[in-house]
Amino acid sequence: MDDLKRAVRRKPSFGQSMRAVFWSFFGVRKGKDHDRDMAQLNPVHVIVAGLVGAALFIAILILLVRVAINLAK
């Protein structure tokens, strides 16, 4: 439990968490980068960044489908 409390108090920026989640969506994280992120990033930021990234991904897919449907008409 103390490990979780210490992890939540980490101070790296939300931008660093977004960058880590972005690269992990593509599956091209290097082992050393993953280990560094696990040691430095705030887990709450990573969860929020993952949700934001997933929402953006879905929105982009919907936009692409709508554009493709309009072009097909």
Side-chain angles (χ1 to χ4, degrees):
M1 188 67 159
D2 290 331
D3 292 337
L4 180 60
K5 288 180 182 178
R6 274 185 261 137
V8 171
R9 286 190 222 129
R10 295 178 188 157
K11 295 296 181 191
S13 72
F14 184 70
Q16 288 174 314
S17 297
M18 284 298 294
R19 191 171 25 251
V21 168
F22 173 77
W23 285 114
S24 67
F25 273 13
F26 288 107
V28 293
R29 302 290 297 157
K30 293 180 182 175
K32 66 177 182 158
D33 291 338
H34 173 73
D35 294 339
R36 181 187 45 133
D37 289 342
M38 293 300 290
Q40 293 179 353
L41 295 179
N42 184 327
V44 174
H45 289 176
V46 174
I47 292 169
V48 172
L51 293 173
V52 168
L56 286 173
F57 180 71
I58 291 169
I60 290 170
L61 286 178
I62 291 171
L63 179 67
L64 289 174
V65 168
R66 288 185 178 180
V67 168
I69 289 172
N70 284 336
L71 290 175
K73 289 183 180 180

